[in-house]
Amino acid sequence: MTDAATVRCDACPVLCRIREGKTGACDRYANVAGALTRIDPLVVTQRAARLVPFAGDAESWDGALVKGAETFVTGIGSGTTYPDYKPAPFIVASQADGIDMVTVVSEGIFSYCGVKVKIDTDRFVGPEQAPVRCGGEQIGHVTTAEYGSQMLSLGGVRHFTGGSKREGTATCQALLEMCNGAPVEVEIEGGATVTVQAGAAPVVDGEREGRMRVGCGSATIGMFAKQWFGHADEVVVVDDHITGVLSEHQAGRFLDMPPAGIRVRGRRSTPGRYFQVAEPGAGWGGTDVSDPLEIIEKIDPKTAWPGLKLLMVSTTGEDAAWYVLDEDLRPRAADMPAPVRDTVARIAENCEPALCSVLFMAGAGGSLRAGVTENPVRLTRSVKDAITRVTCGGAPVYVWPGGGITFVVDVTAMPARSFGYVPTPALVAPIEFTMRADDHAALGGHVDSIVPLDEVLARASLKATAWDETKPWPGAAPS
Ligand code: SF4
């Protein structure tokens, strides 16, 4: 029930009753003088750089609409629809290169969503499958590591809905902050505390990561073998996954390097490539080793010789040591010659800056598809056939093959603070479907709800952002 001073918000299943001058539970809708109002501005993006060359950088733009600039209406601030059968909040008619286009614009409420986090570090953050917690609640787990990066899989419908209310709320809050570019500290069971911030360096147990490794130990051997040749008799590149040993490695064989008789610990995979030389950790090359000599199992007196020059180095070049074997074939630390120091610096030079990448992944569900067409499967087919383009806040997405419209988007490609939430709990994210007007009609689109772009732009509450010209223009006709 509502009275004159109260409005009911029907933009999500929570159905808040909002008193005059107040906002609903998600802080997105308010009762303004008795009218239900989406309080954030509708964000449009404009190709301003081309048209206003003196406008300066995007950050200095005050958000005022640039008249005459090519404009795309994003879902940010557009509002949500509930229940599902309503048309999307904006179905915008525009033109692209003389072609009549339609963009269906909405803020999706995503119960089925999560983030995949790529953390550029060799350091051990936790065992695969380990629970990842935020505020004491499990919000996801460690998943399979990638090349030079540790990976987390966070969110997902089970953490939103399948556990306690606290778990769902903590998951929603952590993902909201992460997707909006804020730093979020997570604790990994049996591992590290990691601060994740999209587009920023990861902080692992209080240490800000600087470099992403150049490659695994074997790859590092391959890349730099020629530069070591003639300066070192043996090089061991210490790596948690694949430690490389130059003279034994194919790269050393190609250079006709004689065997050096230095055998490292671990399981020999192929010549010069060793697995499991140590435990994972925060030491050399993502191992728990702080003294690299620990991984040397034996030095063969039949093969090695006094005076043998040995370089031990990590895959980032952050750790390196130079040894010369004494008369008893014991490695003695020595000053590293300048040409060898240069190769270590070259490894470091070839490392890219370590970053956290946050990819939002979600499935377009009932209200989103029904908001486009009365026959939702046609939208799915149209997306699969590349007749309809899906974007998030204008940012390009990757749509997974197979059933449904399950997509992935880099949150740093989206305008700032694109995400919201509702306390069901679920994340709210902008989504746009762009297609030719005749294709929209053919898939059973809500043609009666189409509004010309100029009419949308005439609305009072708009915020314009400068389009990033390195990305494909979201309003272009799908090819
Ligand atoms: S949570 Fe937000 S969208 Fe949902 S009913 Fe309340 S005010 Fe409306």
Side-chain angles (χ1 to χ4, degrees):
M1 261 188 67
T2 58
D3 53 46
T6 304
V7 293
R8 160 142 318 148
C9 176
D10 60 358
C12 93
V14 177
L15 301 176
C16 294
R17 295 174 72 245
I18 309 173
R19 293 219 310 276
E20 191 167 341
K22 302 286 183 195
T23 57
C26 66
D27 285 335
R28 296 184 309 125
Y29 284 89
N31 178 341
V32 179
L36 181 68
T37 307
R38 179 72 180 87
I39 53 179
D40 301 302
L42 176 66
V43 173
V44 300
T45 186
Q46 296 196 291
R47 288 177 123 169
R50 190 198 285 172
L51 292 158
V52 282
F54 306 112
D57 61 300
E59 282 174 19
S60 66
W61 195 356
D62 64 0
L65 202 67
V66 177
K67 283 221 167 70
E70 207 171 352
T71 303
F72 179 81
V73 179
T74 79
I76 305 163
S78 65
T80 44
T81 53
Y82 191 78
D84 297 350
Y85 57 76
K86 288 184 191 166
F90 293 98
I91 303 182
V92 185
S94 63
Q95 284 227 323
D97 295 328
I99 301 168
D100 288 330
M101 302 293 298
V102 166
T103 299
V104 182
V105 174
S106 185
E107 285 179 304
I109 301 175
F110 293 101
S111 304
Y112 291 86
C113 73
V115 294
K116 306 298 173 206
V117 181
K118 174 173 165 283
I119 301 168
D120 299 337
T121 182
D122 274 350
R123 285 175 228 287
F124 177 66
V125 298
E128 215 172 287
Q129 301 179 7
V132 176
R133 296 202 167 81
C134 192
E137 298 292 331
Q138 186 177 353
I139 64 165
H141 62 272
V142 177
T143 186
T144 46
E146 297 300 340
Y147 201 94
S149 309
Q150 312 293 344
M151 303 290 293
L152 308 180
S153 182
L154 307 180
V157 70
R158 200 180 70 73
H159 291 295
F160 274 107
T161 69
S164 66
K165 188 172 177 191
R166 275 174 62 99
E167 180 177 330
T169 305
T171 302
C172 189
Q173 183 65 26
L175 265 57
L176 175 66
E177 289 174 12
M178 222 175 258
C179 288
N180 277 335
V184 177
E185 187 176 279
V186 297
E187 284 166 19
I188 299 171
E189 190 173 297
T193 298
V194 183
T195 302
V196 172
Q197 182 173 17
V203 180
V204 181
D205 282 336
E207 295 263 334
R208 186 168 293 276
E209 189 62 279
R211 300 175 201 156
M212 180 181 183
R213 71 177 187 176
V214 65
C216 69
S218 172
T220 308
I221 290 277
M223 280 185 267
F224 298 101
K226 234 174 154 181
Q227 299 176 42
W228 286 317
F229 186 62
H231 300 295
D233 299 308
E234 187 60 286
V235 178
V236 176
V237 182
V238 183
D239 177 31
D240 178 39
H241 305 132
I242 308 171
T243 287
V245 180
L246 176 59
S247 69
E248 227 189 281
H249 194 277
Q250 192 69 355
R253 299 257 179 101
F254 260 66
L255 293 167
D256 285 332
M257 288 186 73
I262 295 177
R263 173 73 159 89
V264 298
R265 290 187 201 284
R267 181 158 68 81
R268 187 171 183 262
S269 158
T270 51
R273 301 169 73 255
Y274 290 82
F275 301 162
Q276 301 152 23
V277 296
E279 293 297 318
W284 284 50
T287 68
D288 62 348
V289 161
S290 53
D291 174 3
L293 297 180
E294 279 175 40
I295 70 161
I296 292 183
E297 189 167 81
K298 65 172 185 185
I299 296 177
D300 183 357
K302 293 199 201 96
T303 314
W305 62 94
L308 184 151
K309 294 169 286 185
L310 167 66
L311 171 68
M312 299 195 77
V313 63
S314 70
T315 45
T316 56
E318 279 170 319
D319 297 298
W322 179 252
Y323 303 95
V324 178
L325 298 195
D326 67 13
E327 290 303 315
D328 300 320
L329 302 182
R330 280 185 304 220
R332 298 287 180 197
D335 285 343
M336 192 179 292
V340 178
R341 252 200 327 270
D342 289 347
T343 64
V344 174
R346 179 65 62 82
I347 292 176
E349 182 192 332
N350 274 270
C351 295
E352 291 172 80
L355 292 179
C356 295
S357 313
V358 176
L359 298 192
F360 175 69
M361 182 161 155
S367 62
L368 288 175
R369 285 179 288 162
V372 179
T373 164
E374 288 171 356
N375 196 354
V377 73
R378 288 203 192 158
L379 176 67
T380 311
R381 289 183 193 140
S382 155
V383 168
K384 292 289 154 65
D385 293 342
I387 291 167
T388 295
R389 177 188 300 109
V390 185
T391 50
C392 277
V397 309
Y398 173 75
V399 179
W400 281 72
I405 304 173
T406 301
F407 61 88
V408 183
V409 60
D410 174 0
V411 301
T412 62
M414 298 170 69
R417 304 198 64 75
S418 290
F419 289 80
Y421 82 104
V422 291
T424 53
L427 278 191
V428 174
I431 188 163
E432 306 91 27
F433 298 97
T434 300
M435 65 207 91
R436 288 175 161 84
D438 49 2
D439 288 327
H440 175 251
L443 60 79
H446 302 293
V447 290
D448 294 344
S449 301
I450 293 176
V451 181
L453 175 63
D454 286 347
E455 212 173 289
V456 175
L457 301 184
R459 287 173 181 250
S461 186
L462 279 181
K463 183 180 174 213
T465 61
W467 180 247
D468 173 0
E469 289 288 345
T470 63
K471 307 276 184 323
W473 176 244
S479 49

